Amino acid sequence: MQRNGFRIGTLFGIDIRIDWSWLLIFVLMTGNLGFAFASMHGGWSVPLRWAVALVGALLFFGSVLAHEMAHSLVARSQGTPVSNITLFLFGGVSNIQEEPDSPAKEFFMAIVGPVTSLLIGGILILIANLVAGPMVARMAGPMETIQELGPVATLMLWLGSVNVFLGLFNLVPGFPLDGGRVIRSIFWALTDDLRRGTFWAMWLGQGIAWLMIMAGIFSIFGVKIPLVGGGFLNGLWLAFIGWFLSNAGIRSYQHVVVQDVLGGTPVSRMMRRDPPTVSSFVSVDSFVHDHVMRSDDYGFPVVDDGELVGIITLDDVRAISRGEWTDLSVRDIMTKAEDLITVGPDEDAADALQKLINNQVRQLPVMEDEKLVGLVRRRDIVRWLEVTGEAERGLGLGTLGET
């Protein structure tokens, strides 16, 4: 599942990104920790409580990053490319660009994340208990012990417990959680079919997701759920996670099916040959009236003297004001050839689709011997899937088409 976000750095050669939804959960977590520390540590000053809460929230997402980095490093060691890691509302996601090519690789890639979280959690809890050991003997009960812990021990105990929960939660057999991917690797090994293994793992995950949704609804109406409790907010959050898991599982299965259908099919079977082109020297105003208004195309290759020099799209036109149309030429606003992602006519269509998705574009020039021979668009791929009958099987292919 590819997610947008802004880049904050690189670790082990992998881009680290933050989705805007992460800011919301970061603020909420910091606030919850600040109020929790206020009730547990009344002797702490207000600046200290909020400083510890801020550090705790940052360390939590550092733990999530470690979890996802473990997935990514194992994937790369197996030859599977990883585009980035994105932190978002529900934690994090490693944007692994290809499915593993064997059940064993899937198993190890999936299991390493929860194992990493459990190891981090266990080590932190052990250290926290060693630090708190002398105090435990003098305290009357666990709450009194917590109240006497210093900032460092408190953080380690909390963060350790959270990491253990994170590891165990990800082992839930709900695809596409790590536990669901472990189950998929088992189904895959038993059936010797990735698509069928994904299908059964997806349906098991759907069952888990709907149990979470129903449990969340019951919790909203006051029923106490083990490990979750009751209450409106807890129930709403649990139901929301279940809904997200259900949708993510269906999308993951759709992705596998589409890749399976397109695999082995060359781009030449679905590309548009001799697409309409435009010269770089015409004005934007002429381009709009003579090309855009006379076709339903979104992007146009820019060709001068038989050579591809760029592509111009409707987004390029929308990025400038109407008053500039007569003053600017296509060359001024197009994407230059050296910045374009291209494919070859014999390239696998599944790889072409992945390039379209990863680069968030709607069309790719098809090049052979440095000459433009066609254009492959998302709509062309969707049409191919419709011809093969896959679009009628509930694949939700609208996300691949033009929007």
Side-chain angles (χ1 to χ4, degrees):
M1 292 180 294
Q2 179 77 23
R3 301 193 63 87
N4 298 329
F6 55 92
R7 182 176 175 273
I8 61 171
T10 302
L11 190 60
F12 299 111
I14 300 173
D15 280 352
I16 311 300
R17 294 179 171 273
I18 290 180
D19 185 82
W20 293 108
S21 62
W22 175 85
L23 298 175
L24 171 63
I25 198 65
F26 177 75
V27 171
L28 290 175
M29 178 170 287
T30 303
N32 286 337
L33 282 176
F35 289 118
F37 292 154
S39 63
M40 290 188 298
H41 299 285
W44 290 5
S45 66
V46 173
L48 177 61
R49 288 200 299 264
W50 287 104
V52 174
L54 180 62
V55 171
L58 288 172
L59 288 177
F60 167 73
F61 283 103
S63 300
V64 173
L65 179 59
H67 178 112
E68 296 301 331
M69 184 60 68
H71 287 308
S72 298
L73 292 179
V74 169
R76 285 208 318 189
S77 71
Q78 296 175 347
T80 304
V82 180
S83 59
N84 61 70
I85 294 173
T86 303
L87 301 178
F88 71 114
L89 179 65
F90 292 103
V93 60
S94 299
N95 292 311
I96 299 172
Q97 295 181 278
E98 299 174 4
E99 295 288 351
D101 57 18
S102 73
K105 289 183 178 181
E106 168 80 327
F107 178 86
F108 288 114
M109 194 187 303
I111 200 69
V112 70
V115 168
T116 299
S117 294
L118 291 172
L119 282 175
I120 293 174
I123 291 171
L124 289 175
I125 290 174
L126 177 62
I127 295 174
N129 280 318
L130 290 175
V131 172
M135 284 184 272
V136 173
R138 302 195 302 268
M139 298 298 115
M143 181 54 68
E144 189 178 352
T145 301
I146 293 174
Q147 290 172 344
E148 292 298 322
L149 291 178
V152 174
T154 298
L155 269 182
M156 286 191 294
L157 185 61
W158 174 79
L159 190 61
S161 302
V162 168
N163 271 276
V164 170
F165 175 80
L166 179 65
L168 293 176
F169 177 77
N170 273 277
L171 287 174
V172 171
F175 187 77
L177 291 177
D178 297 334
R181 292 189 175 275
V182 169
I183 293 296
R184 179 173 78 161
S185 71
I186 296 172
F187 285 142
W188 183 2
L190 291 175
T191 62
D192 195 29
D193 187 324
L194 172 60
R195 182 168 171 175
R196 189 177 304 173
T198 304
F199 175 80
W200 290 113
M202 184 268 293
W203 276 112
L204 178 59
Q206 290 297 295
I208 298 293
W210 278 101
L211 283 175
M212 294 174 67
I213 292 172
M214 295 305 298
I217 293 173
F218 286 136
S219 180
I220 289 174
F221 289 99
V223 178
K224 291 189 177 297
I225 308 298
L227 301 178
V228 177
F232 179 81
L233 290 179
N234 285 341
L236 185 64
W237 185 244
L238 184 60
F240 191 43
I241 292 176
W243 171 82
F244 175 82
L245 183 60
S246 174
N247 282 276
I250 292 173
R251 287 197 302 270
S252 296
Y253 176 64
Q254 292 169 353
H255 174 76
V256 170
V257 172
V258 169
Q259 294 292 314
D260 184 47
V261 173
L262 295 178
T265 304
V267 168
S268 59
R269 296 287 299 276
M270 59 190 69
M271 74 180 187
R272 184 178 185 183
R273 299 179 184 274
D274 300 319
T277 62
V278 62
S279 167
S280 68
F281 300 104
V282 304
S283 68
V284 175
D285 186 72
S286 296
F287 165 67
V288 171
H289 289 93
D290 297 338
H291 294 79
V292 174
M293 297 304 295
R294 297 186 180 185
S295 75
D296 62 351
D297 289 287
Y298 177 85
F300 296 78
V302 183
V303 177
D304 290 335
D305 298 325
E307 180 182 352
L308 179 71
V309 296
I311 275 187
I312 184 170
T313 68
L314 293 185
D315 280 343
D316 298 323
V317 175
R318 292 167 183 157
I320 62 175
S321 68
R322 175 66 180 84
E324 296 178 287
W325 286 9
T326 55
D327 299 325
L328 296 176
S329 67
V330 166
R331 178 176 290 273
D332 296 322
I333 66 172
M334 71 180 185
T335 301
K336 295 181 179 179
E338 55 265 30
D339 298 324
L340 294 175
I341 306 296
T342 64
V343 294
D346 297 325
E347 190 168 331
D348 197 284
D351 295 335
L353 175 61
Q354 200 62 51
K355 287 183 178 181
L356 284 164
I357 294 173
N358 290 344
N359 294 282
Q360 300 177 30
V361 295
R362 306 190 191 193
Q363 62 282 309
L364 294 173
V366 184
M367 306 292 291
E368 187 174 31
D369 298 328
E370 299 184 358
K371 295 293 183 180
L372 178 71
V373 296
L375 196 69
V376 62
R377 305 171 298 177
R378 293 196 191 196
R379 66 171 68 176
D380 300 322
I381 295 176
V382 171
R383 185 174 295 119
W384 176 267
L385 293 169
E386 290 173 343
V387 169
T388 62
E390 296 299 335
E392 284 73 35
R393 300 182 191 180
L395 294 180
L397 298 177
T399 55
L400 301 180
E402 309 269 355
T403 55

